[in-house]
Amino acid sequence: MNNLTLKVIGRVESRLTDLDSAPRQADEGAPEAWLVFEPDVLEALRNIRTGDEVVLITWLDRAQRDVLSVYPRGDTSRAQEGVFSTRSPHRPNPIGLHRVEITAIEGRRLRVRQLEALNGTPIIDLKPVLNEDIGQR
Amino acid sequence: MNNLTLKVIGRVESRLTDLDSAPRQADEGAPEAWLVFEPDVLEALRNIRTGDEVVLITWLDRAQRDVLSVYPRGDTSRAQEGVFSTRSPHRPNPIGLHRVEITAIEGRRLRVRQLEALNGTPIIDLKPVLNEDIGQR
């Protein structure tokens, strides 16, 4: 068994629609966005509160999966690096990690501050932040 | 398109084989382990160095995917919570996030300190830690 199937449990709603103009990280001018979950996972959201900081996990569906090396931050004056040393969306499994703050809740819609994911990006998981750090907003 | 396909890019080698005796978090007595990558992603690893702190992303393949509420830390004296407010492995997409330190590198095998994932757990991504924190070792 060498392939696994992810369920799309929601989608990002954002005014970001264009890969080229999207910020690379949330603290580089990303707008607020809505996380719109499927009705069948509403129960899993029931203890989420406004003000919570959470780890959003997405599937960066516009990424290239056959890329193993990239120029860091697209800078061709630098040496290429293996993608596992970078946060490039281009990688064998284009998983996005985003630390976000919940700023409003309307049923199965959560508003978040500063998200660099594009409109329509699939949501695959949501977790609380723990004491230890993992990196990336 | 409501399902996405993950590639298994490696596996965890660990002396942990039993879900019941595995620690819940790495800092609760988890042993060291090896991350064994598939030969076809070796290029993506080439800038990883001993001493690096990385975010390992796994697929917790022994989890239950139809669970939406759990007792936090298995404590039935507490109220059940929606899984998106917990780090329970049981959730619609059983993705594991682990902050680990690389302690040795042998080709496509990376040794890490303190990993709570079970032997054979599929590896799906590896990312550098950034300035911002996301939580969980």
Side-chain angles (χ1 to χ4, degrees):
Chain A
M1 187 264 299
N2 275 313
N3 287 305
L4 306 168
T5 302
L6 284 169
K7 299 175 193 170
V8 177
I9 62 170
R11 299 266 177 186
V12 171
E13 268 186 22
S14 170
R15 64 176 171 78
L16 292 178
T17 55
D18 176 3
L19 200 57
D20 293 331
S21 61
R24 288 172 181 275
Q25 301 297 337
D27 58 0
E28 297 175 11
E32 66 174 24
W34 286 92
L35 312 180
V36 184
F37 287 83
E38 293 294 326
D40 61 0
V41 299
L42 185 58
E43 178 188 336
L45 288 171
R46 65 182 178 170
N47 296 88
I48 299 286
R49 301 284 178 262
T50 299
D52 284 356
E53 294 242 28
V54 296
V55 182
L56 169 67
I57 305 180
T58 62
W59 183 259
L60 303 169
D61 58 345
R62 273 145 281 193
Q64 298 164 43
R65 302 184 66 177
D66 57 351
V67 171
L68 297 176
S69 294
V70 293
Y71 293 106
R73 296 188 62 87
D75 180 351
T76 56
S77 72
R78 294 167 69 178
Q80 285 208 332
E81 287 187 10
V83 292
F84 295 155
S85 299
T86 80
R87 289 285 188 140
S88 170
H90 308 303
R91 54 210 307 121
N93 291 304
I95 288 174
L97 290 185
H98 319 266
R99 181 174 174 159
V100 292
E101 180 188 344
I102 309 294
T103 55
I105 300 174
E106 295 178 3
R108 57 192 177 86
R109 298 169 56 86
L110 309 183
R111 193 176 65 201
V112 299
R113 202 189 302 280
Q114 287 196 318
L115 180 63
E116 74 280 18
L118 298 180
N119 187 55
T121 297
I123 296 171
I124 57 177
D125 202 2
L126 195 68
K127 298 181 189 291
V129 175
L130 294 196
N131 298 335
E132 296 290 332
D133 17 275
I134 260 186
Q136 184 177 18
R137 188 170 266 282
Chain B
M1 189 265 299
N2 275 313
N3 287 304
L4 306 169
T5 302
L6 284 169
K7 299 175 193 169
V8 177
I9 61 170
R11 299 266 177 186
V12 171
E13 269 186 21
S14 171
R15 64 176 171 78
L16 292 177
T17 55
D18 176 3
L19 200 58
D20 292 332
S21 61
R24 288 172 180 275
Q25 301 297 337
D27 57 1
E28 297 174 12
E32 66 174 23
W34 286 92
L35 312 181
V36 184
F37 287 83
E38 293 294 327
D40 61 0
V41 299
L42 185 59
E43 179 188 336
L45 287 172
R46 65 183 179 171
N47 296 88
I48 299 286
R49 300 286 177 263
T50 298
D52 285 356
E53 294 242 29
V54 297
V55 182
L56 169 67
I57 305 180
T58 61
W59 183 260
L60 303 169
D61 58 344
R62 274 144 282 193
Q64 298 164 43
R65 301 184 66 176
D66 57 352
V67 170
L68 297 175
S69 295
V70 293
Y71 293 104
R73 296 187 63 85
D75 180 350
T76 56
S77 72
R78 294 167 68 178
Q80 284 208 331
E81 288 187 10
V83 292
F84 295 155
S85 299
T86 79
R87 289 285 187 139
S88 171
H90 308 303
R91 54 209 309 121
N93 291 305
I95 288 174
L97 291 184
H98 319 266
R99 181 174 174 159
V100 291
E101 180 188 345
I102 309 294
T103 55
I105 300 174
E106 295 178 3
R108 58 191 177 86
R109 298 169 56 85
L110 310 183
R111 194 177 65 200
V112 298
R113 202 189 302 282
Q114 287 195 317
L115 180 63
E116 74 279 20
L118 297 180
N119 187 55
T121 297
I123 295 171
I124 57 177
D125 202 2
L126 194 69
K127 298 182 189 292
V129 174
L130 295 196
N131 298 335
E132 296 290 330
D133 17 275
I134 260 185
Q136 184 178 12
R137 188 170 266 280

